[in-house]
Amino acid sequence: MAHNHLIPGTGPLLDEEGRLREPGYALRPPFDYDHSRIAAPPYRIKDWDYYLVNDDHYAVALTFSDLGYIGLVSASVLDFTTSTYTTTSELVVLPMGRMGLPTSSDTGNVTWSNKRASVSFCHLPGADNKEGSAGRRLSFTMANFEGDADLEVELLLDRVPRDSMVICTPWAEDKNAFYYNRKIVGMRARGGFRCGSNFHEFASDALGLLDWGRGVWTYDNVWYWGVAQGYQDGHVIGLNLGYGFGDTSAASENMAFVDGIAHKLGRVDFGIPRKAGGAYDYLRRWHITDDEGRLDLTFVPQMDRIDDIDVAGVVSSQQHQVFGTFSGTVGLDDGSVLKITRLRGSAEHIHNRY
């Protein structure tokens, strides 16, 4: 199908004119990302790493991004028992590619600090599977994360699944705009965090994910993204669902994962309910479906993590990242049906202007 073009080749991501060579999807990163081939000024280049680890009690999300004329170092701690969260961000002015994000999701480390925060995202030596890195160690600190309380995070992610979601997306209105994205869902997670007097060590069934994004975007964009991970009947189950970002006629990013094996899905709709005036009602149940009759999920929201960033009316991000649970069925590639019950995850609607 048109939205299921599996990229067969390797080589440079961009051609000599700085345009995406081959839109589509893959299960491993097929292309080399090289800043020198980008046909856009540094302030338009958007690079980020986003990690999330959760068990059934807490989640920690860590973001490190260089968006050209602004950088963002951010952390969120979410308490599923009390349905509360804290998000705190440190802005970096005019980094222009100097924050040191690696050009590969399999190699290269992030090491950064200022007077308030420090970040270390490092790959582990060796490999526990032939597909690449054995995992990574995440260390993050931020002073005055919640009032006077400092945040300290130490995490180890390993047992990297065989398959991941990789997508190469162009924009029809700008031939030099592109999005190269990899999402690894369902890594084993160990470690914990401390915030003031609150210490949490993640449970033995905790899992972690990585959203690794690189590219050049148009200025004004909206996207929808849903992701979930957990154990169901002894199997590691993951979901990656999304739409709305760029020209996805060659490939959608929608996949289900069972014990690290990907099952490609078609186009999805989040079925977000609306209020009487037409605005989204994020905290009512969503009904998520696809165009092939393989996906039938109910998303039960628990909390809406809202983040509004506005810098002089030029850089803005309105975020609704809703955390909750997914239940329902997914048709797998072999024709069998996967039943999902209260799989913890999130679904978001984000509008960015930067």
Side-chain angles (χ1 to χ4, degrees):
M1 301 180 69
H3 55 256
N4 278 344
H5 173 61
L6 180 62
I7 297 169
T10 58
L13 176 71
L14 306 175
D15 64 19
E16 294 180 354
E17 296 182 345
R19 298 179 177 182
L20 197 63
R21 287 178 53 234
E22 186 173 4
Y25 83 95
L27 304 181
R28 294 284 307 169
F31 296 133
D32 297 324
Y33 175 61
D34 182 354
H35 271 199
S36 69
R37 284 181 172 255
I38 295 176
Y43 66 82
R44 289 194 58 202
I45 300 173
K46 318 295 182 190
D47 294 348
W48 79 82
D49 290 359
Y50 167 86
Y51 288 94
L52 182 139
V53 168
N54 73 272
D55 57 19
D56 207 38
H57 303 285
Y58 281 95
V60 168
L62 305 174
T63 301
F64 186 79
S65 61
D66 184 331
L67 306 175
Y69 41 73
I70 197 165
L72 184 69
V73 181
S74 179
S76 295
V77 174
L78 302 107
D79 185 336
F80 299 128
T81 302
T82 61
S83 297
T84 57
Y85 69 88
T86 299
T87 297
T88 304
S89 301
E90 182 82 348
L91 298 180
V92 181
V93 179
L94 298 174
M96 297 294 184
R98 292 191 295 270
M99 291 178 71
L101 281 94
T103 57
S104 169
S105 57
D106 280 328
T107 60
N109 300 325
V110 167
T111 304
W112 181 94
S113 65
N114 69 1
K115 292 181 179 180
R116 185 185 185 191
S118 68
V119 182
S120 175
F121 299 161
C122 293
H123 287 268
L124 300 175
D128 62 3
N129 62 47
K130 63 182 179 180
E131 299 297 335
S133 169
R136 52 206 82 199
R137 184 180 298 277
L138 313 180
S139 299
F140 184 101
T141 64
M142 180 177 283
N144 304 122
F145 172 76
E146 187 173 13
D148 294 333
D150 300 341
L151 176 67
E152 301 174 54
V153 182
E154 289 289 340
L155 297 167
L156 178 66
L157 304 182
D158 61 6
R159 294 185 182 172
V160 181
R162 189 196 74 176
D163 295 341
S164 54
M165 193 294 302
V166 183
I167 194 167
C168 301
T169 302
W171 269 262
E173 62 269 35
D174 185 345
K175 299 302 182 184
N176 290 323
F178 66 92
Y179 179 46
Y180 188 33
N181 179 226
R182 183 186 188 190
K183 295 187 174 85
I184 306 173
V185 182
M187 292 179 279
R188 183 176 68 169
R190 289 172 286 172
F193 69 89
R194 184 187 303 277
C195 184
S197 61
N198 182 22
F199 172 75
H200 178 71
E201 182 175 355
F202 283 101
S204 60
D205 61 352
L207 296 172
L209 63 90
L210 167 64
D211 174 14
W212 184 92
R214 304 292 186 267
V216 171
W217 309 349
T218 54
Y219 174 65
D220 195 325
N221 285 284
V222 173
W223 76 64
Y224 300 81
W225 177 43
V227 64
Q229 57 187 0
Y231 286 86
Q232 304 268 291
D233 296 326
H235 298 281
V236 178
I237 304 299
L239 294 173
N240 187 81
L241 308 171
Y243 60 101
F245 196 53
D247 177 5
T248 58
S249 57
S252 72
E253 65 174 276
N254 303 311
M255 291 183 185
F257 300 94
V258 180
D259 294 328
I261 307 302
H263 299 259
K264 187 69 177 69
L265 302 171
R267 301 194 179 280
V268 304
D269 183 89
F270 279 5
I272 309 173
R274 294 185 182 270
K275 301 177 182 178
Y280 283 138
D281 192 349
Y282 294 103
L283 291 176
R284 287 173 51 205
R285 293 188 177 213
W286 306 15
H287 184 205
I288 302 174
T289 56
D290 74 322
D291 63 348
E292 298 177 349
R294 294 173 58 183
L295 191 67
D296 189 356
L297 297 173
T298 298
F299 177 62
V300 179
Q302 183 177 357
M303 67 180 106
D304 182 5
R305 191 195 68 83
I306 300 171
D307 204 7
D308 249 340
I309 299 171
D310 194 311
V311 181
V314 177
V315 176
S316 66
S317 181
Q318 288 81 45
Q319 304 179 14
H320 288 270
Q321 186 183 30
V322 184
F323 285 81
T325 57
F326 295 80
S327 298
T329 57
V330 182
L332 302 180
D333 288 345
D334 62 3
S336 64
V337 175
L338 171 67
K339 185 177 180 180
I340 290 173
T341 304
R342 292 184 53 80
L343 185 67
R344 189 167 292 283
S346 63
E348 66 186 34
H349 170 220
I350 293 181
H351 181 194
N352 287 327
R353 295 171 67 246
Y354 52 63

